[in-house]
Amino acid sequence: MKTNDVSLVNFEQIGQLADDVFMIYNPLSGTLDYIGDAFQKVWERPSIEYLAEPSRLLSTIHPEDQSYVLDFLRQVLSAQHETKVEFRIITNENTSKYILLKSYPGLKHNGAQLIGGIASDVTTTKTNILYAEKINARKNSTLEVLAHDLKTPLGMINMMATAIQQLPSAKENRAISQYVELIQKLCERNITLIRDIVNQEFLESTSVNLRKERADIVFGITDVIDNYQKSSDVLKKHFRISSSSEKLYIEFDTLKLMQVFNNLVSNAIKFTYDNGLIEVDITELASTVRITIRDNGIGIPEEYNEVLFEKFTPARRTGLKGEKPVGLGMSIIKTIIELHGGKIWFESQVNSGSIFYIEIPK
């Protein structure tokens, strides 16, 4: 953004009236030449403490976000365009707030190059988004559990209906036969309906633009697995999760990546026998985070290794309990991972199980 002394004055004038915090940083002196009045409201601290020593602002940033913000500030000093970063601060009341900071290089005053910044309190919006994404991830795993939970009683009803259909009285009575057929169709339709809801949402996920944000991937995955663990009696599978760190922050589209994760766990459930084990591991590497999903199910035949991620792949198979395959499932998974700059691959052995690996840049 190219500007001059007049626009600098305008910048300060707007800052006096705005609800956002307007700041001007002087790289030569290493000081903040200006902090808008909104600072007191947003940071809940007096701005005068930070004008001469802007480095003190670092102590107000959440400890988990400090190194991330420092990296951003180093980039700002060399950037010639608008940049932005989202982080948390700790107020005097020891509460957290989410802040969106945008930097505007190119301000000038008396020949000196300055950097403008606008900090917005986005706590309400951010909290609502995080809650919605968390509920959505749980919803997908809950529907998966629900499909398995309903399959047994509906299957029993279907079997009983078939048994009734074989009775001599049913064969002789057209009305009974029609009612039985209706019961069978309703049983099949309701199981299919639940799966179609999850599958259709997943198939449409690549049509929405990627919205990456910095978030704790360990929290997201653990929350989903906890939901599966609570329903282990229904699913008749054992679940185990491990991580190299309690928290791992990376930039990713929470909605899409949790859909990918849910889909891979769902596949593991479909192709693992009752009382089988599904393990998830999250490991921090030098420049990436690796997510591993392992099962001891039926495995993938070797002839499908090269085509598993193709659209409408011939590797599509019905689950052990008759679950229908998703036509573009693995293809979409690969697309979403690659949109994150990551990669996915797998190892498998028939009758021993499969291991899927996902790596996402940190």
Side-chain angles (χ1 to χ4, degrees), residues 148 151 234-237 270 274 318-323:
H148 281 80
K151 191 168 184 63
V234 171
L235 298 171
K236 292 183 170 56
K237 308 291 185 297
K270 292 176 188 176
D274 287 352
T318 301
L320 293 176
K321 296 188 178 182
E323 301 95 338

Side-chain angles (χ1 to χ4, degrees), residues 9 46 75 123 140 148 161 179 204 209 215 239 280 283 303 353 358:
V9 172
Q75 294 172 25
T123 304
N140 287 342
H148 281 80
Y179 286 138
E204 293 174 354
N209 291 334
F239 297 89
V280 177
T283 300
E303 61 264 29
I358 298 172

Side-chain angles (χ1 to χ4, degrees), residues 28-42:
L28 288 177
S29 63
T31 60
L32 284 167
D33 289 356
Y34 170 76
I35 299 180
D37 291 346
F39 185 89
Q40 176 75 42
K41 178 181 178 182
V42 175

Side-chain angles (χ1 to χ4, degrees), residues 69-101:
V69 174
L70 280 173
D71 287 340
F72 166 79
L73 293 176
R74 293 187 192 102
Q75 294 172 25
V76 167
L77 294 175
S78 59
Q80 298 300 315
H81 53 83
E82 176 189 333
T83 54
K84 60 183 179 180
V85 65
E86 194 175 84
F87 57 91
R88 294 164 293 173
I89 62 170
I90 304 297
T91 68
N92 267 335
E93 300 299 322
N94 205 32
T95 59
S96 293
K97 286 186 177 181
Y98 283 93
I99 302 296
L100 175 64
L101 174 63

Side-chain angles (χ1 to χ4, degrees), residues 16-260:
Q16 294 299 108
L17 303 173
D19 291 330
D20 299 329
V21 182
F22 281 56
M23 305 178 185
I24 297 175
Y25 177 70
N26 188 328
L28 288 177
S29 63
T31 60
L32 284 167
D33 289 356
Y34 170 76
I35 299 180
D37 291 346
F39 185 89
Q40 176 75 42
K41 178 181 178 182
V42 175
W43 254 263
E44 300 179 21
R45 302 168 188 270
S47 60
I48 192 68
E49 299 177 10
Y50 305 100
L51 282 166
E53 294 184 72
S55 59
R56 290 186 61 195
L57 274 172
L58 188 64
S59 63
T60 69
I61 297 173
H62 195 290
E64 292 174 358
D65 295 350
Q66 288 183 6
S67 61
Y68 176 67
V69 174
L70 280 173
D71 287 340
F72 166 79
L73 293 176
R74 293 187 192 102
Q75 294 172 25
V76 167
L77 294 175
S78 59
Q80 298 300 315
H81 53 83
E82 176 189 333
T83 54
K84 60 183 179 180
V85 65
E86 194 175 84
F87 57 91
R88 294 164 293 173
I89 62 170
I90 304 297
T91 68
N92 267 335
E93 300 299 322
N94 205 32
T95 59
S96 293
K97 286 186 177 181
Y98 283 93
I99 302 296
L100 175 64
L101 174 63
K102 296 181 180 179
S103 72
Y104 299 91
L107 292 173
K108 292 182 180 179
H109 183 62
N110 294 332
Q113 292 281 349
L114 306 175
I115 298 173
I118 301 177
S120 308
D121 182 355
V122 293
T123 304
T124 301
T125 302
K126 181 71 174 179
T127 302
N128 289 342
I129 290 172
L130 289 174
Y131 180 76
E133 289 173 342
K134 180 178 179 179
I135 293 300
N136 185 75
R138 286 187 178 181
K139 175 262 298 176
N140 287 342
S141 59
T142 300
L143 285 175
E144 184 66 41
V145 172
L146 184 60
H148 281 80
D149 197 13
L150 288 178
K151 191 168 184 63
T152 299
L154 289 177
M156 291 293 292
I157 294 171
N158 201 359
M159 286 174 59
M160 287 187 287
T162 302
I164 293 172
Q165 201 172 35
Q166 302 303 316
L167 295 173
S169 56
K171 293 179 180 179
E172 295 170 4
N173 190 317
R174 180 61 182 164
I176 294 177
S177 180
Q178 287 177 336
Y179 286 138
V180 169
E181 288 177 8
L182 179 61
I183 291 171
Q184 290 173 322
K185 288 179 180 178
L186 286 172
C187 289
E188 293 173 2
R189 187 182 302 165
N190 279 279
I191 287 293
T192 302
L193 176 63
I194 295 169
R195 290 208 173 278
D196 283 350
I197 291 172
V198 180
N199 292 343
Q200 188 59 37
E201 182 177 326
F202 182 69
L203 292 174
E204 293 174 354
S205 60
T206 51
S207 64
V208 182
N209 291 334
L210 209 65
R211 191 184 67 83
K212 293 169 70 175
E213 59 184 354
R214 184 171 177 267
D216 178 10
I217 194 166
V218 175
F219 173 81
I221 291 177
T222 300
D223 190 60
V224 172
I225 287 296
D226 283 347
N227 210 30
Y228 280 118
Q229 286 176 325
K230 291 173 184 176
S231 305
S232 58
D233 290 343
V234 171
L235 298 171
K236 292 183 170 56
K237 308 291 185 297
H238 301 288
F239 297 89
R240 186 182 299 160
I241 184 168
S242 58
S243 175
S244 62
S245 303
E246 288 188 10
K247 297 183 179 182
L248 282 174
Y249 286 92
I250 62 172
E251 290 191 355
F252 64 100
D253 186 313
T254 309
L255 187 65
K256 286 186 173 60
L257 206 58
M258 288 303 103
Q259 282 183 314
V260 163

Side-chain angles (χ1 to χ4, degrees), residues 334-349:
K334 186 172 185 287
T335 299
I336 292 175
I337 297 301
E338 289 178 346
L339 284 172
H340 282 81
K343 59 182 180 179
I344 180 171
W345 71 100
F346 69 96
E347 299 171 0
S348 187
Q349 187 174 347

